[in-house]
DNA sequence: GGAATAATTTACACCTAGTATAAATATTCA
DNA sequence: TGAATATTTATACTAGGTGTAAATTATTCC
């Protein structure tokens, strides 16, 4: 029987876990004390007692140490497979679900609570993760290009080209995932992907209920 | 009679304009040749024959030289004033209109065409401007916090806190503006802010017309 | 337990975006 | 032309992020 994860126990593994936690905790504490821009990666390294290079072995960016990594976000083939599989639901909901699930995976309770505190008091941080989300967005756009080409019946913007729908969709999916995260962190409900989509729909259509409407 | 723009003619002004154009042209040409990541700011400076510092006097970031600046985006008081003024329309449409207008202002025909070409062949670039959009988004969020506090009747997410609505709204406005820009650049229609909002609404609701729906 | 081997960490040097400062240069206007 | 002013420049710096090769550290096999 082959093991999927090369090492899921042993000293090496435990140290890794501890180091990763130390980094996340240090990052969140420092950001709480001095704000995002008042903290450098080297500050975080110093507190977590690791080198800068090790930091970047664990986290692809400064933001990811504070905001969480997209650990389990599937690679391109896997993503496509998931889309193929969930052909009963709106693909946007599927994507928003995956992005959400990959955001806070494998992090301990403590860190999740700390991060929530930090985000509640500095909601601008919701928009710091851009660089990391870009990779996610690219994957999504690529997967959708294949998927929608092969399953035109699943398209939701039939008047646009497939490439355009993929572009708009990847952007929308990330936007919905972020909105969901904001609602979850700042409020106290945990809306489903579908809930968030409905909420945003209602939000957008509320625009038509104002006096004059449609002018710009 | 006081002049609003300190100098709208004279050698100094003309040189400025020429330099700015040279930078935009150089940036777009180089990116066409080598891709965004294959070009450094210093490459652009070399071709445009200016120093790096001058580059950053003209443009707040590398991305802004390629994608366009937000020249005329109003400052916080002005933005608030605009919102107060346009009380007949959906505030999202107002914001999307302003963002769109401030993106490609004062640029010559040539550059607009070049930029369009570049974006059509490298649509990932639509997501490069993040850093610059962040400032815009902050302004919007701040303006909305005041505006919605003083005009609760204009709120569109009455079940959430004002701060939450401001957060979601600023994010949504930027998203809509980007979607509009994508549709405009990649397609050949120029949808209005309201059109885009309606299109996205239709898009989101199309998700409910699939077989199973609602699961994640 | 100890040596060979493999995985990680580290120090170090490097690249690039972006900022600050002060000297040099160009423009304006009298 | 020359004084006042705006702009550019050279230069040096900070910070995020990457690549490389040496040094640690864990594992494994005897």
């Amino acid at each position: 029987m082959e093991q999927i994860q090369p090492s899921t126990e042993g000293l090496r593994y435990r140290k890794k876990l501890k180091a990763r936690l130390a980094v996340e905790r240090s990052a969140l504490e420092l950001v709480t004390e001095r704000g995002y821009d008042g903290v450098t990666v080297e500050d975080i390294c110093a507190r977590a007692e690791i080198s800068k290079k090790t930091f970047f072995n664990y986290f692809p960016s400064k933001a990811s140490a504070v905001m969480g990594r997209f650990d389990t976000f599937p690679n391109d083939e896997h993503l496509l497979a998931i889309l193929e599989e969930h052909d009963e639901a709106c693909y946007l909901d599927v994507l928003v679900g995956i992005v959400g699930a990959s955001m806070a995976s494998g992090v301990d309770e403590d860190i999740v609570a700390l991060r929530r505190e930090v985000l509640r008091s500095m909601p601008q941080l919701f928009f710091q993760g851009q660089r990391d989300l870009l990779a996610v967005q690219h994957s999504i756009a690529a997967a959708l290009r294949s998927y929608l080409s092969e399953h035109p019946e699943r398209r939701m913007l039939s008047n646009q080209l497939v490439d355009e729908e993929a572009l708009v969709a990847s952007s929308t999916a990330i936007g919905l995932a972020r909105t969901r995260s904001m609602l979850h962190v700042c409020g106290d409900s945990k809306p489903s992907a579908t809930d968030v989509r409905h909420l945003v729909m209602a939000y957008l259509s509320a625009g038509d209920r104002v006096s004059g409407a449609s002018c710009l």
Side-chain angles (χ1 to χ4, degrees), chain A:
Chain A
M1 196 70 144
E2 188 196 19
Q3 258 185 288
I4 306 292
Q5 299 279 24
S7 65
T8 175
E9 52 189 328
L11 181 51
R12 193 161 269 166
Y13 178 74
R14 272 176 284 132
K15 274 199 170 177
K16 234 178 197 166
L17 230 63
K18 229 182 64 188
R20 182 180 156 172
L21 273 224
V23 170
E24 292 189 316
R25 186 178 312 284
S26 306
L28 288 165
E29 287 171 357
L30 284 168
V31 167
T32 306
E33 293 166 20
R34 308 191 218 147
Y36 188 80
D37 291 333
V39 175
T40 70
V41 171
E42 306 207 317
D43 293 336
I44 300 170
C45 293
R47 184 173 293 207
E49 297 187 289
I50 56 161
S51 75
K52 197 169 92 174
K53 187 65 219 266
T54 303
F55 177 99
F56 285 110
N57 285 347
Y58 284 68
F59 298 88
S61 66
K62 175 184 171 185
S64 65
V66 178
M67 301 290 298
R69 317 185 299 177
F70 293 90
D71 274 86
T72 59
F73 192 81
N75 60 28
D76 290 16
E77 310 97 73
H78 191 188
L79 183 52
L80 194 52
I82 294 174
L83 282 173
E84 301 271 7
E85 201 177 323
H86 290 77
D87 57 352
E88 81 291 349
C90 166
Y91 70 75
L92 271 180
D93 294 348
V94 175
L95 291 170
V96 171
I98 299 172
V99 173
S102 69
M103 197 144 27
S105 63
V107 183
D108 91 357
E109 277 303 316
D110 251 52
I111 298 291
V112 171
L114 238 180
R115 181 169 292 146
R116 192 183 162 93
E117 284 309 304
V118 172
L119 279 170
R120 283 170 86 106
S121 68
M122 313 181 198
Q124 332 83 284
L125 287 183
F126 276 113
F127 305 100
Q128 277 297 348
Q130 321 259 11
R131 202 170 173 285
D132 304 282
L133 277 175
L134 221 59
V136 170
Q137 188 160 344
H138 279 168
S139 302
I140 291 180
L144 279 177
R145 262 189 295 274
S146 323
Y147 181 65
L148 295 177
S149 298
E150 295 193 12
H151 300 276
E153 77 282 3
R154 308 231 51 214
R155 293 193 53 196
M156 290 161 60
L157 278 178
S158 358
N159 291 327
Q160 319 297 136
L161 300 173
V162 169
D163 277 18
E164 282 171 300
E165 176 162 351
L167 212 55
V168 171
S170 63
S171 172
T172 305
I174 298 288
L176 287 173
R178 182 156 35 212
T179 300
R180 184 189 189 194
S181 173
M182 294 191 300
L183 292 173
H184 179 217
V185 168
C186 297
D188 31 37
S189 59
K190 182 159 176 54
S192 72
T194 309
D195 291 343
V196 177
R197 183 165 55 78
H198 285 159
L199 185 120
V200 172
M201 273 166 57
Y203 175 48
L204 292 177
S205 67
D208 292 326
R209 284 198 285 286
V210 293
S211 33
S214 186
C215 77
L216 280 160

